[in-house]
Amino acid sequence: EAGVTQFPSHSVIEKGQTVTLRCDPISGHDNLYWYRRVMGKEIKFLLHFVKESKQDESGMPNNRFLAERTGGTYSTLKVQPAELEDSGVYFCASSEQPGQGDNEQFFGPGTRLTVL
Amino acid sequence: QKEVEQNSGPLSVPEGAIASLNCTYSDRGSQSFFWYRQYSGKSPELIMSIYSNGDKEDGRFTAQLNKASQYVSLLIRDSQPSDSATYLCAVKNTGKLIFGQGTTLQVKP
């Protein structure tokens, strides 16, 4: 069974540009999460989808970040326009059961974003 | 106070020893606790989950949970150089995971 996949693995862009990150969860997983780790800090939650619906977007830093999950399969996270402080590693995770049960989250390899 | 706290280390142990990794959390209502292992440049890999007070063993790994003290630990027996990695403690809060900064473990041959 394939794990969580993310694309691209690395992205280097200039301040003001737009970048779109993609996450493909494990097949059949309804829950999809985005997290971010900026240098020197802990991994922090951004948002949570249950199928195509945003369950919790309390961690989104500002309105420059837009996440979508059309059709409840893969998800995209767009940053527009990118700022220097957006640099970091963006992780996607998925879990099997809907709701807030004791379901375990499995992480993808991450996208390392560098904003110059 | 951070929601999940870990000593960043590095924690250095000789090969074959027991490595003890500790984590405290601030939300007394937390119910689910996880340990992830992360090698440099790789994704966090789930190694243990624990939901009830006490010990949970899986191979060389034992997770310990004490909700009264708001304390979670991970013991690695017979540590191997391949166990050298960053260990992340995570606490589930309304679906999302709250992570500590991670403890770097170095197992010396």
Side-chain angles (χ1 to χ4, degrees):
Chain A
E1 177 183 294
V4 177
T5 58
Q6 293 186 246
F7 182 83
S9 56
H10 293 84
S11 181
V12 180
I13 61 172
E14 293 190 353
K15 175 182 172 180
Q17 290 186 320
T18 297
V19 63
T20 300
L21 314 180
R22 172 171 170 146
C23 168
D24 287 78
I26 293 171
S27 178
H29 281 195
D30 288 336
N31 292 284
L32 187 150
Y33 309 82
W34 284 98
Y35 293 87
R36 176 175 74 170
R37 186 169 200 166
V38 298
M39 189 175 294
K41 301 287 187 182
E42 64 272 21
I43 297 174
K44 287 201 167 178
F45 168 80
L46 296 178
L47 88 160
H48 170 202
F49 284 100
V50 178
K51 298 185 179 179
E52 68 274 10
S53 300
K54 290 177 185 174
Q55 181 78 12
D56 180 356
E57 51 184 329
S58 62
M60 294 288 263
N62 52 59
N63 59 10
R64 295 185 295 102
F65 289 75
L66 175 64
E68 294 180 325
R69 192 182 183 195
T70 307
T73 54
Y74 71 90
S75 175
T76 58
L77 179 64
K78 182 162 71 174
V79 185
Q80 178 182 30
E83 299 289 344
L84 299 179
E85 64 265 25
D86 301 333
S87 296
V89 182
Y90 289 76
F91 290 105
C92 177
S94 72
S95 66
E96 184 172 10
Q97 295 171 5
Q100 299 177 10
D102 294 331
N103 47 316
E104 299 169 340
Q105 296 181 24
F106 298 93
F107 280 73
T111 293
R112 182 174 296 277
L113 174 64
T114 302
V115 183
L116 302 176
Chain B
Q1 180 191 9
K2 290 188 176 182
E3 292 182 77
V4 179
E5 297 218 44
Q6 296 181 256
N7 187 323
S8 61
L11 173 66
S12 184
V13 301
E15 183 175 357
I18 296 175
S20 178
L21 304 158
N22 305 313
C23 171
T24 58
Y25 60 95
S26 61
D27 185 352
R28 189 170 287 278
S30 300
Q31 296 294 321
S32 306
F33 307 86
F34 305 89
W35 283 98
Y36 285 82
R37 176 177 62 197
Q38 188 176 25
Y39 294 110
S40 181
K42 302 295 185 183
S43 60
E45 174 193 6
L46 180 65
I47 54 172
M48 289 288 284
S49 59
I50 187 165
Y51 310 111
S52 304
N53 277 328
D55 295 0
K56 178 181 177 183
E57 186 174 319
D58 183 2
R60 294 186 297 112
F61 298 99
T62 298
Q64 299 175 316
L65 173 61
N66 183 327
K67 290 185 180 179
S69 300
Q70 296 172 240
Y71 177 91
V72 193
S73 65
L74 179 70
L75 301 178
I76 306 175
R77 288 182 299 283
D78 187 24
S79 295
Q80 301 297 308
S82 59
D83 294 326
S84 298
T86 297
Y87 289 80
L88 303 169
C89 173
V91 177
K92 182 173 280 187
N93 180 313
T94 61
K96 62 182 179 281
L97 294 177
I98 310 295
F99 283 90
Q101 272 203 288
T103 299
T104 300
L105 174 65
Q106 297 175 345
V107 181
K108 300 200 180 292

Tab-separated table of all heavy atoms in Angstrom, chain B residues 8-66:
chain	number	residue	atom	x	y	z
B	8	SER	N	15.521	18.960	24.199
B	8	SER	CA	15.990	18.820	22.821
B	8	SER	C	17.230	17.948	22.686
B	8	SER	O	17.538	17.448	21.593
B	8	SER	CB	16.251	20.194	22.216
B	8	SER	OG	17.253	20.864	22.960
B	9	GLY	N	17.945	17.747	23.807
B	9	GLY	CA	19.127	16.900	23.768
B	9	GLY	C	20.328	17.633	23.188
B	9	GLY	O	20.377	18.859	23.238
B	10	PRO	N	21.309	16.902	22.609
B	10	PRO	CA	21.195	15.487	22.301
B	10	PRO	C	21.358	14.584	23.522
B	10	PRO	O	22.072	14.914	24.444
B	10	PRO	CB	22.332	15.261	21.304
B	10	PRO	CG	23.342	16.301	21.649
B	10	PRO	CD	22.563	17.492	22.140
B	11	LEU	N	20.642	13.464	23.458
B	11	LEU	CA	20.786	12.406	24.434
B	11	LEU	C	21.707	11.357	23.822
B	11	LEU	O	21.416	10.821	22.765
B	11	LEU	CB	19.417	11.789	24.743
B	11	LEU	CG	19.408	10.542	25.624
B	11	LEU	CD1	19.887	10.893	27.024
B	11	LEU	CD2	18.012	9.935	25.667
B	12	SER	N	22.803	11.109	24.485
B	12	SER	CA	23.795	10.180	23.952
B	12	SER	C	23.852	8.942	24.834
B	12	SER	O	24.030	9.067	26.057
B	12	SER	CB	25.161	10.859	23.877
B	12	SER	OG	26.106	10.007	23.289
B	13	VAL	N	23.699	7.771	24.233
B	13	VAL	CA	23.770	6.515	24.978
B	13	VAL	C	24.660	5.545	24.212
B	13	VAL	O	24.752	5.617	22.979
B	13	VAL	CB	22.378	5.884	25.202
B	13	VAL	CG1	21.477	6.831	25.971
B	13	VAL	CG2	21.745	5.455	23.905
B	14	PRO	N	25.313	4.636	24.917
B	14	PRO	CA	26.120	3.635	24.209
B	14	PRO	C	25.237	2.537	23.633
B	14	PRO	O	24.128	2.275	24.120
B	14	PRO	CB	27.033	3.083	25.316
B	14	PRO	CG	26.275	3.317	26.580
B	14	PRO	CD	25.467	4.557	26.373
B	15	GLU	N	25.716	1.907	22.596
B	15	GLU	CA	24.996	0.800	21.978
B	15	GLU	C	24.694	-0.269	23.016
B	15	GLU	O	25.541	-0.627	23.835
B	15	GLU	CB	25.838	0.206	20.846
B	15	GLU	CG	25.158	-0.910	20.090
B	15	GLU	CD	25.993	-1.380	18.900
B	15	GLU	OE1	27.064	-0.789	18.633
B	15	GLU	OE2	25.564	-2.338	18.231
B	16	GLY	N	23.453	-0.753	23.002
B	16	GLY	CA	23.036	-1.783	23.939
B	16	GLY	C	22.391	-1.256	25.206
B	16	GLY	O	21.763	-2.008	25.947
B	17	ALA	N	22.507	0.037	25.440
B	17	ALA	CA	21.926	0.640	26.648
B	17	ALA	C	20.443	0.941	26.441
B	17	ALA	O	19.902	0.807	25.345
B	17	ALA	CB	22.680	1.919	27.002
B	18	ILE	N	19.807	1.349	27.528
B	18	ILE	CA	18.408	1.799	27.456
B	18	ILE	C	18.389	3.321	27.271
B	18	ILE	O	19.022	4.050	28.031
B	18	ILE	CB	17.631	1.433	28.730
B	18	ILE	CG1	17.538	-0.082	28.880
B	18	ILE	CG2	16.227	2.044	28.711
B	18	ILE	CD1	16.897	-0.537	30.184
B	19	ALA	N	17.654	3.767	26.283
B	19	ALA	CA	17.466	5.207	26.074
B	19	ALA	C	16.102	5.593	26.633
B	19	ALA	O	15.103	4.908	26.370
B	19	ALA	CB	17.551	5.557	24.591
B	20	SER	N	16.071	6.658	27.397
B	20	SER	CA	14.824	7.111	28.021
B	20	SER	C	14.509	8.525	27.546
B	20	SER	O	15.286	9.452	27.772
B	20	SER	CB	14.970	7.085	29.545
B	20	SER	OG	13.794	7.573	30.161
B	21	LEU	N	13.385	8.658	26.880
B	21	LEU	CA	12.971	9.938	26.312
B	21	LEU	C	11.704	10.400	27.023
B	21	LEU	O	10.782	9.609	27.224
B	21	LEU	CB	12.705	9.772	24.812
B	21	LEU	CG	13.890	9.216	24.034
B	21	LEU	CD1	13.434	8.588	22.733
B	21	LEU	CD2	14.898	10.315	23.771
B	22	ASN	N	11.666	11.662	27.383
B	22	ASN	CA	10.578	12.160	28.213
B	22	ASN	C	9.833	13.305	27.564
B	22	ASN	O	10.384	14.059	26.754
B	22	ASN	CB	11.137	12.625	29.550
B	22	ASN	CG	11.924	11.533	30.238
B	22	ASN	OD1	11.477	10.398	30.329
B	22	ASN	ND2	13.123	11.871	30.708
B	23	CYS	N	8.579	13.463	27.986
B	23	CYS	CA	7.699	14.475	27.402
B	23	CYS	C	6.656	14.862	28.439
B	23	CYS	O	6.107	13.982	29.116
B	23	CYS	CB	7.043	13.872	26.152
B	23	CYS	SG	5.728	14.846	25.399
B	24	THR	N	6.393	16.143	28.577
B	24	THR	CA	5.290	16.597	29.420
B	24	THR	C	4.328	17.417	28.578
B	24	THR	O	4.720	18.001	27.559
B	24	THR	CB	5.795	17.448	30.607
B	24	THR	OG1	6.520	18.574	30.095
B	24	THR	CG2	6.680	16.640	31.532
B	25	TYR	N	3.068	17.458	28.993
B	25	TYR	CA	2.065	18.179	28.237
B	25	TYR	C	1.199	18.991	29.200
B	25	TYR	O	1.091	18.672	30.388
B	25	TYR	CB	1.213	17.227	27.397
B	25	TYR	CG	0.466	16.187	28.194
B	25	TYR	CD1	-0.850	16.387	28.597
B	25	TYR	CD2	1.080	14.976	28.544
B	25	TYR	CE1	-1.535	15.432	29.324
B	25	TYR	CE2	0.407	14.018	29.272
B	25	TYR	CZ	-0.895	14.246	29.666
B	25	TYR	OH	-1.570	13.295	30.392
B	26	SER	N	0.576	20.030	28.669
B	26	SER	CA	-0.108	20.969	29.552
B	26	SER	C	-1.628	20.751	29.627
B	26	SER	O	-2.243	21.091	30.648
B	26	SER	CB	0.168	22.403	29.096
B	26	SER	OG	-0.312	22.603	27.779
B	27	ASP	N	-2.234	20.174	28.577
B	27	ASP	CA	-3.692	20.009	28.568
B	27	ASP	C	-4.088	18.731	29.295
B	27	ASP	O	-3.911	17.625	28.774
B	27	ASP	CB	-4.185	19.978	27.115
B	27	ASP	CG	-5.707	19.923	27.022
B	27	ASP	OD1	-6.374	19.749	28.063
B	27	ASP	OD2	-6.222	20.042	25.907
B	28	ARG	N	-4.628	18.893	30.478
B	28	ARG	CA	-4.972	17.739	31.317
B	28	ARG	C	-6.043	16.855	30.674
B	28	ARG	O	-6.168	15.685	31.001
B	28	ARG	CB	-5.433	18.242	32.690
B	28	ARG	CG	-5.627	17.172	33.725
B	28	ARG	CD	-5.842	17.771	35.113
B	28	ARG	NE	-4.607	18.309	35.672
B	28	ARG	CZ	-3.690	17.559	36.286
B	28	ARG	NH1	-3.860	16.262	36.403
B	28	ARG	NH2	-2.618	18.111	36.774
B	29	GLY	N	-6.805	17.416	29.752
B	29	GLY	CA	-7.856	16.649	29.099
B	29	GLY	C	-7.390	15.810	27.920
B	29	GLY	O	-8.193	15.102	27.312
B	30	SER	N	-6.122	15.842	27.596
B	30	SER	CA	-5.599	15.081	26.464
B	30	SER	C	-5.792	13.593	26.695
B	30	SER	O	-5.660	13.100	27.818
B	30	SER	CB	-4.114	15.392	26.257
B	30	SER	OG	-3.920	16.765	25.990
B	31	GLN	N	-6.096	12.882	25.600
B	31	GLN	CA	-6.423	11.459	25.721
B	31	GLN	C	-5.509	10.553	24.893
B	31	GLN	O	-5.420	9.362	25.160
B	31	GLN	CB	-7.875	11.228	25.265
B	31	GLN	CG	-8.912	11.923	26.135
B	31	GLN	CD	-8.952	11.355	27.540
B	31	GLN	OE1	-8.823	10.149	27.739
B	31	GLN	NE2	-9.084	12.230	28.527
B	32	SER	N	-4.878	11.102	23.857
B	32	SER	CA	-4.117	10.271	22.925
B	32	SER	C	-2.713	10.827	22.775
B	32	SER	O	-2.544	12.032	22.587
B	32	SER	CB	-4.802	10.248	21.555
B	32	SER	OG	-6.146	9.852	21.670
B	33	PHE	N	-1.744	9.897	22.792
B	33	PHE	CA	-0.346	10.307	22.838
B	33	PHE	C	0.450	9.442	21.872
B	33	PHE	O	0.198	8.237	21.763
B	33	PHE	CB	0.191	10.156	24.263
B	33	PHE	CG	-0.669	10.861	25.277
B	33	PHE	CD1	-1.762	10.219	25.832
B	33	PHE	CD2	-0.404	12.171	25.629
B	33	PHE	CE1	-2.590	10.867	26.739
B	33	PHE	CE2	-1.218	12.836	26.529
B	33	PHE	CZ	-2.313	12.183	27.088
B	34	PHE	N	1.395	10.063	21.188
B	34	PHE	CA	2.111	9.368	20.125
B	34	PHE	C	3.586	9.692	20.199
B	34	PHE	O	3.987	10.798	20.574
B	34	PHE	CB	1.559	9.797	18.757
B	34	PHE	CG	0.067	9.608	18.625
B	34	PHE	CD1	-0.812	10.603	19.004
B	34	PHE	CD2	-0.455	8.428	18.119
B	34	PHE	CE1	-2.182	10.431	18.905
B	34	PHE	CE2	-1.822	8.241	18.015
B	34	PHE	CZ	-2.691	9.242	18.410
B	35	TRP	N	4.395	8.718	19.785
B	35	TRP	CA	5.814	8.946	19.588
B	35	TRP	C	6.131	8.704	18.112
B	35	TRP	O	5.779	7.649	17.557
B	35	TRP	CB	6.655	8.011	20.453
B	35	TRP	CG	6.712	8.428	21.885
B	35	TRP	CD1	5.971	7.952	22.927
B	35	TRP	CD2	7.589	9.419	22.440
B	35	TRP	NE1	6.317	8.590	24.089
B	35	TRP	CE2	7.301	9.500	23.823
B	35	TRP	CE3	8.573	10.254	21.918
B	35	TRP	CZ2	7.971	10.364	24.684
B	35	TRP	CZ3	9.236	11.123	22.766
B	35	TRP	CH2	8.943	11.173	24.136
B	36	TYR	N	6.783	9.689	17.511
B	36	TYR	CA	7.228	9.578	16.136
B	36	TYR	C	8.758	9.625	16.133
B	36	TYR	O	9.381	10.314	16.944
B	36	TYR	CB	6.713	10.746	15.290
B	36	TYR	CG	5.246	10.665	14.919
B	36	TYR	CD1	4.257	11.080	15.812
B	36	TYR	CD2	4.844	10.188	13.673
B	36	TYR	CE1	2.904	11.014	15.459
B	36	TYR	CE2	3.509	10.125	13.315
B	36	TYR	CZ	2.542	10.540	14.218
B	36	TYR	OH	1.210	10.479	13.880
B	37	ARG	N	9.348	8.925	15.190
B	37	ARG	CA	10.789	8.963	14.964
B	37	ARG	C	11.019	9.664	13.634
B	37	ARG	O	10.354	9.370	12.645
B	37	ARG	CB	11.361	7.549	14.924
B	37	ARG	CG	12.841	7.466	14.609
B	37	ARG	CD	13.319	6.017	14.676
B	37	ARG	NE	12.652	5.177	13.692
B	37	ARG	CZ	12.630	3.844	13.731
B	37	ARG	NH1	13.231	3.213	14.720
B	37	ARG	NH2	12.025	3.170	12.781
B	38	GLN	N	11.966	10.580	13.612
B	38	GLN	CA	12.261	11.301	12.382
B	38	GLN	C	13.757	11.287	12.123
B	38	GLN	O	14.534	11.852	12.901
B	38	GLN	CB	11.741	12.749	12.446
B	38	GLN	CG	11.849	13.490	11.128
B	38	GLN	CD	11.244	14.874	11.171
B	38	GLN	OE1	11.135	15.496	12.228
B	38	GLN	NE2	10.828	15.379	10.015
B	39	TYR	N	14.143	10.654	11.032
B	39	TYR	CA	15.527	10.731	10.575
B	39	TYR	C	15.699	12.032	9.809
B	39	TYR	O	14.741	12.567	9.252
B	39	TYR	CB	15.865	9.536	9.687
B	39	TYR	CG	15.854	8.206	10.416
B	39	TYR	CD1	14.865	7.255	10.164
B	39	TYR	CD2	16.835	7.885	11.350
B	39	TYR	CE1	14.848	6.030	10.823
B	39	TYR	CE2	16.828	6.678	12.017
B	39	TYR	CZ	15.823	5.757	11.750
B	39	TYR	OH	15.812	4.552	12.415
B	40	SER	N	16.930	12.511	9.781
B	40	SER	CA	17.216	13.792	9.164
B	40	SER	C	16.718	13.839	7.725
B	40	SER	O	17.053	12.973	6.910
B	40	SER	CB	18.717	14.067	9.200
B	40	SER	OG	19.005	15.316	8.634
B	41	GLY	N	15.891	14.824	7.420
B	41	GLY	CA	15.393	15.001	6.066
B	41	GLY	C	14.270	14.069	5.663
B	41	GLY	O	13.852	14.073	4.505
B	42	LYS	N	13.785	13.290	6.613
B	42	LYS	CA	12.720	12.321	6.305
B	42	LYS	C	11.437	12.705	7.017
B	42	LYS	O	11.378	13.648	7.794
B	42	LYS	CB	13.158	10.911	6.733
B	42	LYS	CG	14.437	10.429	6.082
B	42	LYS	CD	14.274	10.258	4.584
B	42	LYS	CE	15.514	9.674	3.961
B	42	LYS	NZ	15.378	9.561	2.484
B	43	SER	N	10.371	11.945	6.730
B	43	SER	CA	9.076	12.216	7.353
B	43	SER	C	9.020	11.617	8.748
B	43	SER	O	9.705	10.627	9.031
B	43	SER	CB	7.957	11.636	6.502
B	43	SER	OG	8.116	10.243	6.365
B	44	PRO	N	8.202	12.186	9.631
B	44	PRO	CA	7.975	11.553	10.941
B	44	PRO	C	7.326	10.183	10.752
B	44	PRO	O	6.359	10.045	10.013
B	44	PRO	CB	7.030	12.534	11.636
B	44	PRO	CG	7.211	13.839	10.928
B	44	PRO	CD	7.494	13.468	9.509
B	45	GLU	N	7.845	9.200	11.446
B	45	GLU	CA	7.357	7.816	11.348
B	45	GLU	C	6.759	7.421	12.690
B	45	GLU	O	7.446	7.481	13.716
B	45	GLU	CB	8.525	6.892	10.991
B	45	GLU	CG	8.179	5.419	10.991
B	45	GLU	CD	9.432	4.556	10.943
B	45	GLU	OE1	10.549	5.088	11.020
B	45	GLU	OE2	9.282	3.327	10.859
B	46	LEU	N	5.505	7.015	12.688
B	46	LEU	CA	4.842	6.640	13.926
B	46	LEU	C	5.445	5.342	14.470
B	46	LEU	O	5.515	4.334	13.756
B	46	LEU	CB	3.353	6.448	13.684
B	46	LEU	CG	2.513	6.058	14.900
B	46	LEU	CD1	2.499	7.177	15.927
B	46	LEU	CD2	1.094	5.717	14.475
B	47	ILE	N	5.884	5.370	15.729
B	47	ILE	CA	6.432	4.155	16.330
B	47	ILE	C	5.606	3.652	17.494
B	47	ILE	O	5.613	2.460	17.777
B	47	ILE	CB	7.916	4.325	16.737
B	47	ILE	CG1	8.126	5.537	17.640
B	47	ILE	CG2	8.800	4.429	15.507
B	47	ILE	CD1	9.545	5.610	18.198
B	48	MET	N	4.919	4.535	18.209
B	48	MET	CA	4.115	4.090	19.346
B	48	MET	C	2.933	5.032	19.543
B	48	MET	O	3.060	6.235	19.360
B	48	MET	CB	4.928	4.081	20.642
B	48	MET	CG	5.984	2.998	20.743
B	48	MET	SD	5.284	1.360	20.970
B	48	MET	CE	4.820	1.424	22.689
B	49	SER	N	1.822	4.454	19.973
B	49	SER	CA	0.690	5.248	20.435
B	49	SER	C	0.269	4.704	21.787
B	49	SER	O	0.433	3.502	22.054
B	49	SER	CB	-0.472	5.165	19.443
B	49	SER	OG	-0.886	3.816	19.270
B	50	ILE	N	-0.222	5.554	22.653
B	50	ILE	CA	-0.664	5.114	23.977
B	50	ILE	C	-1.834	5.969	24.411
B	50	ILE	O	-1.841	7.190	24.195
B	50	ILE	CB	0.503	5.131	24.997
B	50	ILE	CG1	0.080	4.497	26.331
B	50	ILE	CG2	1.078	6.522	25.179
B	50	ILE	CD1	1.247	4.161	27.251
B	51	TYR	N	-2.839	5.326	25.007
B	51	TYR	CA	-4.063	6.037	25.346
B	51	TYR	C	-4.444	5.884	26.818
B	51	TYR	O	-5.246	6.665	27.337
B	51	TYR	CB	-5.224	5.520	24.482
B	51	TYR	CG	-4.902	5.480	23.017
B	51	TYR	CD1	-4.761	4.274	22.336
B	51	TYR	CD2	-4.712	6.658	22.295
B	51	TYR	CE1	-4.456	4.240	20.976
B	51	TYR	CE2	-4.405	6.625	20.931
B	51	TYR	CZ	-4.279	5.415	20.297
B	51	TYR	OH	-3.969	5.384	18.961
B	52	SER	N	-3.888	4.857	27.489
B	52	SER	CA	-4.245	4.574	28.875
B	52	SER	C	-3.021	4.683	29.765
B	52	SER	O	-1.896	4.439	29.308
B	52	SER	CB	-4.815	3.156	29.001
B	52	SER	OG	-5.915	2.973	28.136
B	53	ASN	N	-3.261	5.005	31.015
B	53	ASN	CA	-2.174	5.046	31.988
B	53	ASN	C	-1.458	3.704	32.058
B	53	ASN	O	-2.076	2.642	31.942
B	53	ASN	CB	-2.716	5.384	33.380
B	53	ASN	CG	-2.903	6.866	33.584
B	53	ASN	OD1	-2.173	7.687	33.032
B	53	ASN	ND2	-3.900	7.226	34.362
B	54	GLY	N	-0.139	3.775	32.226
B	54	GLY	CA	0.633	2.548	32.363
B	54	GLY	C	1.627	2.400	31.235
B	54	GLY	O	2.025	3.380	30.618
B	55	ASP	N	2.021	1.170	31.007
B	55	ASP	CA	3.039	0.860	30.014
B	55	ASP	C	2.434	0.156	28.811
B	55	ASP	O	1.490	-0.619	28.942
B	55	ASP	CB	4.112	-0.052	30.623
B	55	ASP	CG	4.904	0.618	31.722
B	55	ASP	OD1	4.639	1.798	32.021
B	55	ASP	OD2	5.796	-0.038	32.291
B	56	LYS	N	3.032	0.413	27.658
B	56	LYS	CA	2.664	-0.316	26.445
B	56	LYS	C	3.959	-0.710	25.757
B	56	LYS	O	4.792	0.147	25.470
B	56	LYS	CB	1.811	0.556	25.523
B	56	LYS	CG	1.430	-0.135	24.220
B	56	LYS	CD	0.615	0.792	23.337
B	56	LYS	CE	0.284	0.126	21.999
B	56	LYS	NZ	-0.462	1.056	21.106
B	57	GLU	N	4.119	-1.995	25.504
B	57	GLU	CA	5.374	-2.495	24.946
B	57	GLU	C	5.175	-2.971	23.521
B	57	GLU	O	4.161	-3.584	23.180
B	57	GLU	CB	5.896	-3.650	25.817
B	57	GLU	CG	7.253	-4.166	25.437
B	57	GLU	CD	7.770	-5.214	26.415
B	57	GLU	OE1	7.590	-5.033	27.624
B	57	GLU	OE2	8.324	-6.220	25.936
B	58	ASP	N	6.176	-2.680	22.677
B	58	ASP	CA	6.169	-3.155	21.296
B	58	ASP	C	7.611	-3.386	20.893
B	58	ASP	O	8.340	-2.443	20.579
B	58	ASP	CB	5.502	-2.131	20.376
B	58	ASP	CG	5.405	-2.626	18.937
B	58	ASP	OD1	5.824	-3.766	18.654
B	58	ASP	OD2	4.903	-1.869	18.083
B	59	GLY	N	8.028	-4.640	20.959
B	59	GLY	CA	9.416	-4.957	20.639
B	59	GLY	C	10.365	-4.315	21.631
B	59	GLY	O	10.204	-4.465	22.842
B	60	ARG	N	11.324	-3.540	21.114
B	60	ARG	CA	12.295	-2.902	21.996
B	60	ARG	C	11.774	-1.586	22.582
B	60	ARG	O	12.452	-0.944	23.376
B	60	ARG	CB	13.589	-2.626	21.218
B	60	ARG	CG	14.321	-3.877	20.779
B	60	ARG	CD	15.683	-3.555	20.143
B	60	ARG	NE	15.564	-2.775	18.919
B	60	ARG	CZ	15.971	-1.514	18.803
B	60	ARG	NH1	16.508	-0.876	19.829
B	60	ARG	NH2	15.841	-0.887	17.638
B	61	PHE	N	10.584	-1.186	22.171
B	61	PHE	CA	10.027	0.097	22.599
B	61	PHE	C	8.962	-0.102	23.683
B	61	PHE	O	8.134	-1.000	23.584
B	61	PHE	CB	9.381	0.825	21.412
B	61	PHE	CG	10.333	1.169	20.300
B	61	PHE	CD1	10.410	0.373	19.170
B	61	PHE	CD2	11.152	2.277	20.383
B	61	PHE	CE1	11.287	0.683	18.135
B	61	PHE	CE2	12.035	2.592	19.360
B	61	PHE	CZ	12.101	1.796	18.233
B	62	THR	N	9.018	0.764	24.696
B	62	THR	CA	7.971	0.813	25.715
B	62	THR	C	7.555	2.259	25.906
B	62	THR	O	8.404	3.111	26.182
B	62	THR	CB	8.456	0.243	27.060
B	62	THR	OG1	8.815	-1.122	26.902
B	62	THR	CG2	7.357	0.347	28.114
B	63	ALA	N	6.264	2.517	25.738
B	63	ALA	CA	5.730	3.838	26.038
B	63	ALA	C	5.097	3.791	27.421
B	63	ALA	O	4.481	2.794	27.798
B	63	ALA	CB	4.693	4.250	24.992
B	64	GLN	N	5.266	4.873	28.168
B	64	GLN	CA	4.703	4.969	29.503
B	64	GLN	C	3.888	6.249	29.591
B	64	GLN	O	4.342	7.303	29.129
B	64	GLN	CB	5.824	4.991	30.557
B	64	GLN	CG	6.689	3.740	30.545
B	64	GLN	CD	7.868	3.846	31.505
B	64	GLN	OE1	8.533	4.873	31.573
B	64	GLN	NE2	8.115	2.778	32.243
B	65	LEU	N	2.700	6.143	30.183
B	65	LEU	CA	1.817	7.299	30.296
B	65	LEU	C	1.375	7.466	31.736
B	65	LEU	O	0.934	6.502	32.373
B	65	LEU	CB	0.602	7.135	29.387
B	65	LEU	CG	-0.508	8.195	29.504
B	65	LEU	CD1	0.029	9.584	29.161
B	65	LEU	CD2	-1.684	7.837	28.601
B	66	ASN	N	1.473	8.678	32.252
B	66	ASN	CA	0.990	9.022	33.581
B	66	ASN	C	0.179	10.306	33.436
B	66	ASN	O	0.726	11.405	33.388
B	66	ASN	CB	2.163	9.221	34.546
B	66	ASN	CG	1.705	9.506	35.958
B	66	ASN	OD1	0.665	10.126	36.184
B	66	ASN	ND2	2.477	9.048	36.928
